[in-house]
Amino acid sequence: MIRLIHKTTDKPIRYVFDTHYHGDHADGNQMFAAIGATPIASEESRSQFDTKGLAGFEKSKQTNPAVYGRLNYQKPILYFPRKLVIDDGTQRVELLHFGHAHTPGDAVAWLPKQGLLFTGDACVNGAFNYLGDGNSASWIRVLTEMQKLPVQRVCPGHGEMGGADVIEKQKRYFVELREAVQRLVDKGRTLDQIRQQIEVPSFKEWTGVDVKTRAENIDFVYSELTGSGKPK
Ligand SMILES: [Zn+2]
């Protein structure tokens, strides 16, 4: 990634922004810090880096020494509460934390001049929408906030780039998943029955994958809606 950036500019890399603490997004911090960049994240994410982030990194060092062997954990050192603006007069980047979505500390990078939104995993395009650290009701509110920006292009955390419609598709999945689970709960269905009977046709249209195969997310939303405790 650093080599690719240097193909487009001879300026130094001053900052690296972690949209959230997950290792596939933040475990490379040290490579950037080593060339003088400051890792940045939302203040809300700090405790996740200190706990789950560090634990996941240490585990990866054990299980994947070929990639992690030479690395040490580098947490962000610059944190912002809701918004941080980097603006040199030519380019402007706004880092924005809207609330709990894919993780409690998710933040996005918004480039207003280009209409570009880098969403991290708060919006993915066709990939698995991991809910294990999430909150589906709050996630919908966060996506609604993103939609207030005049977005032209979405760079999702996973999946292909797209237009602003990717945000709507991500939102629709959670809205319809919650509605579908609630409908079956209201009919007195058990979690096992819900897993078998649930239908969210728009999810398959978007991702090519039947919503039933995302059982983890069905279980998670069921636990949210019924207060039955976080599923294992
Ligand atoms: Zn993630």
Side-chain angles (χ1 to χ4, degrees):
M1 196 187 297
I2 290 169
R3 272 198 299 273
L4 288 173
I5 294 167
H6 282 319
K7 278 187 184 170
T8 71
T9 180
D10 55 8
K11 290 183 177 173
I13 300 171
R14 299 268 305 276
Y15 305 102
V16 58
F17 167 51
D18 296 331
T19 54
H20 60 301
Y21 82 89
H22 287 160
D24 56 329
H25 295 263
D27 280 357
N29 278 351
Q30 198 209 7
M31 302 299 283
F32 288 90
I35 56 167
T38 300
I40 305 176
S42 82
E43 198 170 16
E44 194 63 40
S45 70
R46 183 174 175 165
S47 63
Q48 292 127 55
F49 280 96
D50 288 342
T51 54
K52 289 180 169 184
L54 176 59
F57 184 89
E58 293 300 338
K59 195 174 168 194
S60 295
K61 256 186 113 105
Q62 306 283 324
T63 58
N64 194 357
V67 173
Y68 279 77
R70 292 172 299 126
L71 288 177
N72 291 307
Y73 195 53
Q74 171 69 59
K75 292 187 292 188
I77 55 173
L78 180 60
Y79 294 95
F80 61 96
R82 304 295 293 187
K83 180 174 180 177
L84 178 74
V85 177
I86 301 168
D87 189 334
D88 67 357
T90 305
Q91 300 290 352
R92 180 181 176 90
V93 181
E94 299 179 6
L95 306 180
L96 305 166
H97 166 62
F98 290 123
H100 191 167
H102 167 72
T103 70
D106 283 353
V108 300
W110 167 234
L111 280 63
K113 285 187 183 174
Q114 292 81 5
L116 260 174
L117 186 67
F118 293 84
T119 61
D121 292 350
C123 182
V124 299
N125 191 8
F128 177 51
N129 316 81
Y130 178 67
L131 254 172
D133 291 317
N135 176 316
S136 66
S138 179
W139 197 332
I140 291 166
R141 289 194 291 273
V142 167
L143 291 162
T144 303
E145 289 302 310
M146 287 186 208
Q147 288 180 311
K148 292 177 184 171
L149 302 168
V151 175
Q152 306 222 352
R153 206 118 179 88
V154 171
C155 300
H158 298 270
E160 296 298 314
M161 284 174 69
D165 60 303
V166 179
I167 305 171
E168 181 59 29
K169 286 171 179 163
Q170 174 73 90
K171 186 163 112 174
R172 185 173 173 185
Y173 167 54
F174 290 124
V175 168
E176 294 185 359
L177 179 63
R178 286 173 61 87
E179 286 171 356
V181 171
Q182 187 65 57
R183 260 196 309 277
L184 293 164
V185 167
D186 292 345
K187 287 182 183 168
R189 302 289 193 273
T190 65
L191 176 55
D192 273 341
Q193 290 169 328
I194 292 171
R195 283 196 200 119
Q196 288 161 20
Q197 294 172 16
I198 192 161
E199 302 278 354
V200 180
S202 64
F203 184 73
K204 188 160 188 181
E205 279 166 34
W206 174 32
T207 64
V209 174
D210 193 297
V211 78
K212 290 186 180 73
T213 65
R214 302 306 200 198
E216 265 179 274
N217 285 0
I218 298 167
D219 295 1
F220 192 91
V221 167
Y222 176 85
S223 74
E224 286 182 319
L225 294 175
T226 62
S228 65
K230 235 180 170 181
K232 283 269 174 288

